[in-house]
Amino acid sequence: MHVAGGIRAILWAAAVILPVAASLTPRSVRSGPAEATAGTDPELVLWYDEPAANWESDALPLGNGALGAMVFGGIQTERLQLNEKTLWTGGPGTAGETHGNWTSARPGALAGVQAQIDRDGRMAPDAVATALGQPPAGFGSYQNLADMYLDISGTPAAVNGYRRELDLAEGTARVGYSHDGVTYQREYFASHPRNVIVARLSASQAGKISFVLRTVPAQPGSTVTVANGRLTARGALPGNGLIHETQYQVVTTGGTRTDGTDRVTVVGADSAFVVLCAATSYADTYPAYRGTDPHALVTEAVDGAAAATPAALRAEHLADYQRLFDRVRLDVGGQLPNVPTDELRSAYTGAAGRAQDRALESLYFSFGRYLLIASSRGGSLPANLQGSWNNSNNPPWQADYHTNVNIQMNYWPAETTNLSETATPLFDFIDALRAPGRVTARSIYGTTGWVTHLSSNPYGFTGVQDWATAFWFPEAAGWLCQHLYEHYRFTRDTTFLRDQAYPAMKEAVEFWRANLHVDPRDGKLVVSPSYSPEQGDFSAGASMSEQIVWDLLTNTIEASTTLGVDAPLRARWQTLLSRLDPGLRVGSWGQLQEWKADWDSPTNDHRHVSHLYALHPGRQISPLTTPALADAARVSLTARGDGGTGWSKAWKINFWARLLDGDHAHKMLSEQLKSSTLANLFDTHPPFQIDGNFGATAGMAEMLLQSQHGVVDVLPAVPAAWPTGSFGGLKARGNLTLDAQWRNRLAERITLAAGSSGNLTVRNPMLATAPLVDLTTNRTVAVTRSGNQVTFAAEAGHRYQAVSAEGGTI
């Protein structure tokens, strides 16, 4: 990917058409009921009967991948907090920046740490950080772009029938209310095809739109100018000199528009919209990471959006957005009461038999898919710790790309919930890390291959920092490569495997071929130094480290075989794999060990459960084929408990689903919603961190469909709380799309759409007897049965269905 000025190939800017809005008003000073928007699906709407008071917990997110907006929906003054994904401090031009590579040679440093671990079995994190780490000069952080305000003239603090909503079915935010017999409706949507966010403003009487547009840039040194109804904010970040520009164009029908020195005033218009576009001079090209001045691109985006009609933009947006969102549907027996979403969440218990709880769970699932579409589209950077949304110039953990679970969790729902396209920014980001990662491999390890460590940024930071318990994680490249191979497993796209996935995987394997260490205890190959995030001492062969390398080697060997390339290398990799410690040991109290030595404590409730990587997202452990290891994983997971941060609970949903315990997976979903979810349904670590949203969405999919072991397992972990339900459009590995309906937790109908030809094995108790029919030819399919599994030869483009005796009446 080559991105210039926040633009990939064409335009990496985002335009926003924004409405006239209003100010925060306490619930007690408004009267009249909030009415739902006509034509909306209430099961897919977050709604509130008051404006947002808090950015983190109340405001509603919009985005098209490159640009993010948090909509407050005020009455007297509207606030939209804005982000542009490439607006980052740090990187080239910043004093001392080295991409995290050592600033001076350290002969023998790595070998010395390995020798001490060989001798003593462990080494304190502070000592390892002193030997191998360094302060993160020039790392930078994701930045706040600006606040845009619309001061509404003549609007009182109290209005009737106020309603603020986010319609997930249309990717649209709305604000509506009435005053003095006039009904006002505002509509916001993010258009990816046109790189715009559009807001329509309507009123039931003409001449009622009056407001002042102003902006408060969040970056020091920004200048603001106004001409011809266009407000331009421009500046350069201190330190790295990254140029940023934002343009706001006011367009009116009727009334007057007047330019001020730093604002635009509209009086008595029939309707109005504002077009906002922002971009930077960032480009994802190592080592300079600079493109062209964004001015021309921003101007082109504003001119084009301002010239288009909102109706045309809306039609394009719906066609694009619904092409993604509408692929999947989920019904777990919910029914939404007519209460605001914040009240719905506050009343949530997770108990069985509560239709409103089931409705919130389905809404939360859909919200996760919405967030991924809004924060990760082709041509933008991947979703970071906060997706696209950040209101601080010093955000928690820099709102960066943590690679010891967080960025990976962001993309767990991409394949399973049928949003493969949203993973493109992650794949491009991985590809962009390879060039700086080669330099890090040479400068720190003295070897070939590519590597990256615990956290990264858009500027190719692949080296180390010095936070003792969170700086060393060379396994990160292997985990990132898992996403490349999983994309192939889900899509069967051999072109992608050959051109993008396999080259990165091959280089990552070659790094480990040069860097695995012989453990003097048993002669096995191990990662050393090795650290289980983010606790304990450094050691050799921590379980997660070994499991990731096992996964990388296994995937790369399979990819080489599929492509028919590199047979001599493949043979070396197979030898390497046979000598590798797989990181799977059962300890003294029946647990899956977190370290190669039996150091685990049954009272440890740390948020990370990293040694269960082999269970999820890996595929070394299965309750059906490795029951002893699955039992040990269950012991470890039970000991860790059901608490933790938001993302930790989300991972535990996936763990319990993989253990085929739907009730415990649902318990973790309940814990997530009760104590780690804010009023606007954002996940909270705390603070807000978006990975929990994505991890929980993926976990719900895992409860309903799994395919990691080569068998498509339909309804593997349906909880008692979901006795009846259905899903449509979930994806399984093998390029298979599935629908299913169930009653009393038993499948009644399973429908499969084959995207590729080949043998498929599908598992569900119904399949022990139910015939499989090819809906394309209306013929019964010849299958090989083995218990509750059937294997058959699928044809691309054909749909297949099995129906139970009871299911025939649905």
Side-chain angles (χ1 to χ4, degrees), residues 290-316:
R290 288 297 180 274
T292 60
D293 188 298
H295 175 74
L297 296 168
V298 172
T299 302
E300 180 184 1
V302 170
D303 289 348
T309 67
L313 294 171
R314 172 179 165 79
E316 290 176 347

Side-chain angles (χ1 to χ4, degrees), residues 379-735:
S380 67
L381 289 170
N384 58 44
L385 284 175
Q386 296 181 188
S388 295
W389 302 281
N390 167 43
N391 68 337
S392 171
N393 289 334
N394 186 27
W397 301 284
Q398 295 77 51
D400 68 8
Y401 298 104
H402 267 50
T403 57
N404 67 346
V405 66
N406 309 96
I407 189 174
Q408 292 92 340
M409 185 178 288
N410 283 0
Y411 288 91
W412 286 349
E415 305 294 345
T416 57
T417 73
N418 213 337
L419 293 174
S420 282
E421 296 93 330
T422 64
T424 298
L426 174 66
F427 302 152
D428 291 339
F429 183 71
I430 294 169
D431 192 57
L433 289 176
R434 289 170 60 196
R438 293 182 196 116
V439 177
T440 298
R442 289 195 301 270
S443 65
I444 293 180
Y445 298 86
T447 66
T448 58
W450 76 279
V451 68
T452 189
H453 289 82
L454 187 133
S455 55
S456 190
N457 62 14
Y459 301 119
F461 193 102
T462 53
V464 295
Q465 303 189 32
D466 63 348
W467 189 270
T469 59
F471 86 101
W472 189 262
F473 195 64
E475 304 93 320
W479 194 345
L480 291 170
C481 284
Q482 183 194 66
H483 284 260
L484 298 171
Y485 191 60
E486 284 290 89
H487 181 71
Y488 164 72
R489 294 186 73 199
F490 274 92
T491 65
R492 290 294 189 233
D493 184 344
T494 53
T495 300
F496 173 85
L497 181 66
R498 181 185 63 248
D499 296 345
Q500 189 162 8
Y502 182 69
M505 295 163 67
K506 176 181 174 180
E507 269 197 291
V509 165
E510 286 299 280
F511 171 83
W512 285 112
R513 191 159 72 94
N515 283 284
L516 287 172
H517 180 72
V518 177
D519 191 334
R521 292 171 289 185
D522 58 11
K524 288 286 188 179
L525 293 177
V526 293
V527 175
S528 182
S530 172
Y531 194 68
S532 189
E534 296 171 7
Q535 59 167 333
D537 284 341
F538 277 77
S539 64
S543 297
M544 184 190 215
S545 303
E546 302 303 304
Q547 294 164 13
I548 291 175
V549 176
W550 182 95
D551 192 69
L552 174 65
L553 277 165
T554 300
N555 293 344
T556 309
I557 289 167
E558 289 182 3
S560 169
T561 302
T562 298
L563 296 172
V565 298
D566 292 330
L569 263 181
R570 189 192 321 144
R572 296 190 191 104
W573 297 337
Q574 289 168 328
T575 300
L576 202 68
L577 182 62
S578 69
R579 296 179 59 201
L580 180 75
D581 188 314
L584 301 173
R585 283 180 173 77
V586 179
S588 57
W589 45 278
Q591 87 284 10
L592 192 72
Q593 290 181 195
E594 186 160 1
W595 298 273
K596 189 167 182 176
D598 193 351
W599 296 339
D600 303 74
S601 168
T603 62
N604 180 4
D605 61 356
H606 196 273
R607 63 191 177 278
H608 281 267
V609 198
S610 303
H611 53 304
L612 301 195
Y613 178 96
L615 176 66
H616 181 278
R619 52 180 170 134
Q620 286 172 275
I621 296 176
S622 163
L624 301 180
T625 59
T626 59
L629 290 174
D631 288 344
R634 185 177 291 106
V635 170
S636 290
L637 196 53
T638 301
R640 275 293 205 267
D642 297 334
T645 57
W647 65 260
S648 176
K649 292 171 185 171
W651 200 352
K652 291 172 184 176
I653 300 170
N654 291 270
F655 285 142
W656 285 112
R658 287 278 176 97
L659 290 171
L660 308 182
D661 190 336
D663 288 339
H664 209 137
H666 183 265
K667 184 178 190 301
M668 293 314 309
L669 174 63
S670 299
E671 293 300 317
Q672 179 96 6
L673 285 167
K674 286 188 290 187
S675 59
S676 296
T677 300
L678 301 170
N680 60 2
L681 301 191
F682 268 167
D683 168 71
T684 179
H685 181 281
F688 160 56
Q689 197 167 292
I690 205 166
D691 42 19
N693 286 103
F694 296 136
T697 297
M700 293 176 73
E702 288 285 329
M703 295 162 71
L704 300 172
L705 181 64
Q706 297 180 26
S707 58
Q708 66 275 14
H709 298 295
V711 175
V712 179
D713 200 346
V714 186
L715 305 179
V718 177
W722 299 350
T724 301
S726 66
F727 71 78
L730 294 180
K731 294 283 286 190
R733 294 162 184 85
N735 197 13

Side-chain angles (χ1 to χ4, degrees), residues 54-59 70 72 81 386 389-391 680 688:
N54 179 271
W55 179 91
E56 181 179 26
S57 62
D58 299 338
M70 292 289 279
F72 283 69
Q81 184 274 320
Q386 296 181 188
W389 302 281
N390 167 43
N391 68 337
N680 60 2
F688 160 56

Side-chain angles (χ1 to χ4, degrees), residues 302-352:
V302 170
D303 289 348
T309 67
L313 294 171
R314 172 179 165 79
E316 290 176 347
H317 158 68
L318 289 178
D320 170 74
Y321 174 79
Q322 291 178 340
R323 177 181 61 86
L324 298 173
F325 186 82
D326 285 357
R327 291 173 182 171
V328 170
R329 63 183 187 276
L330 175 64
D331 177 4
V332 293
Q335 184 175 356
L336 274 176
N338 187 28
V339 298
T341 303
D342 54 336
E343 296 179 16
L344 181 70
R345 196 217 61 81
S346 297
Y348 176 85
T349 69

